[in-house]
C-alpha cells in the first residue's frame, strides 16, 4: 500500500465578466480522494495579496505534499498547465478589491521568475490521452492567478514540495467535467 499523500486544489471566485468561475466549479466537484491522493479544496478570492494569504493559510492547515491551483483564462481554447510564475503585478482589470496595478514586482528582493519542478510534458500527455485539448503555457499572466502561483512556487522551493497552476478555458470551450477529468489525469501520474 502506498502512503496517502495530500493535495490542495484551489479554484477562484467570480471576477470581472466571469459570473461563474469554472476553475472553482471543477475543483468543488472533485472527489475527496483520487488514487493515493487525499483531496483538500479551497475557493480563493480574486484579490491581490489576500489570495496569496489565503493559499498560504490553507497550506499551513492542510500541510499538502502538492498544490494544484486553478484559474480561468477565458480567451484560451485548451487546458493550459503553467510553467512559470513571474515576479510582476500588472492588470488594468481591477481585482475584486478594486485595485489595479500598472506594473510592479511582487517581491522586490525575489528572482524574476519561478518554475515548477513537475514534469510538464508528462502532465500534458496525460491530459491529452483523455482526449482533452491541452498545451503548455509560458505565462500565467500578471493578474491574481500569477500572484498565487508565485506564492505556491515559493512555498514549493522552500519546502521541497511541488506546485502547479492550471488555467482552464471558459465552459463553452472545455466543459467543467473535462476540467475535472484533466485534474484526475494529472493526479494519477503524479
Ligand atoms: N483567473 C484570473 C484570476 C482568477 C481567475 O480565475 C487570472 O488568470 O489571473
Amino acid at each position: 500500500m502506498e502512503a496517502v499523500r495530500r493535495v490542495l486544489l484551489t479554484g477562484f471566485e467570480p471576477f470581472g465578466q466571469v459570473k461563474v468561475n469554472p476553475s472553482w466549479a471543477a475543483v468543488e466537484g472533485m472527489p475527496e480522494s483520487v488514487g493515493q491522493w487525499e483531496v483538500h479544496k479551497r475557493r480563493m478570492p480574486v484579490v491581490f495579496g489576500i489570495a496569496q494569504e489565503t493559499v498560504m493559510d490553507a497550506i499551513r492547515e492542510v500541510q499538502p505534499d502538492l498544490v494544484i491551483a486553478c484559474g480561468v483564462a477565458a480567451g484560451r481554447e485548451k487546458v493550459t498547465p503553467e510553467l512559470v510564475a513571474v515576479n510582476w503585478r500588472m492588470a488594468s482589470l481591477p481585482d475584486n478589491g478594486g485595485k489595479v496595478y500598472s506594473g510592479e514586482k511582487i517581491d522586490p528582493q525575489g528572482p524574476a521568475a519561478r518554475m515548477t519542478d513537475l514534469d510538464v510534458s508528462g502532465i500534458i500527455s496525460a491530459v491529452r490521452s483523455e482526449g482533452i485539448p491541452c498545451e503548455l503555457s509560458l505565462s500565467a499572466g500578471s493578474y491574481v492567478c500569477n500572484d498565487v502561483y508565485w506564492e505556491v512556487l515559493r512555498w514549493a522551493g522552500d519546502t521541497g514540495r511541488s506546485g502547479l497552476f492550471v488555467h482552464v478555458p471558459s465552459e463553452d470551450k472545455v466543459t467543467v467535467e473535462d476540467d475535472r477529468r484533466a485534474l484526475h489525469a494529472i493526479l494519477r501520474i503524479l
Side-chain angles (χ1 to χ4, degrees), residues 6-177:
R6 281 188 293 272
V7 59
L8 173 64
L9 298 179
T10 70
F12 280 99
E13 67 183 6
F15 67 102
Q17 307 282 75
V18 177
K19 300 301 170 216
V20 175
N21 195 322
S23 68
W24 173 244
V27 167
E28 189 180 24
M30 288 293 285
E32 301 306 313
S33 68
V34 176
Q36 65 183 329
W37 293 103
E38 181 182 293
V39 175
H40 297 259
K41 311 166 198 172
R42 290 290 188 283
R43 185 174 186 259
M44 308 276 293
V46 183
V47 182
F48 283 103
I50 306 290
Q52 292 183 327
E53 287 170 23
T54 305
V55 77
M56 285 312 301
D57 284 348
I59 284 171
R60 274 188 287 272
E61 219 179 288
V62 170
Q63 295 286 321
D65 301 287
L66 169 70
V67 176
I68 303 180
C70 304
V72 66
R76 294 189 188 166
E77 308 277 330
K78 299 178 180 179
V79 171
T80 46
E82 299 287 350
L83 185 65
V84 292
V86 295
N87 189 0
W88 200 246
R89 282 179 175 168
M90 189 169 73
S92 49
L93 175 69
D95 70 11
N96 285 350
K99 197 138 169 47
V100 294
Y101 282 89
S102 57
E104 62 186 64
K105 284 188 167 177
I106 298 170
D107 174 4
Q109 268 74 53
R114 297 181 192 275
M115 195 184 288
T116 181
D117 68 349
L118 292 171
D119 169 18
V120 286
S121 304
I123 287 169
I124 286 157
S125 305
V127 175
R128 284 184 182 159
S129 70
E130 296 292 317
I132 299 162
C134 182
E135 69 186 3
L136 186 65
S137 166
L138 298 179
S139 174
S142 52
Y143 193 51
V144 182
C145 289
N146 176 73
D147 233 56
V148 164
Y149 200 19
W150 173 266
E151 199 64 2
V152 166
L153 291 180
R154 192 184 57 72
W155 161 80
D158 287 353
T159 58
R161 307 236 173 84
S162 294
L164 182 68
F165 197 97
V166 179
H167 264 122
V168 299
S170 56
E171 284 178 68
D172 53 325
K173 309 274 178 36
V174 174
T175 64
V176 166
E177 189 48 43

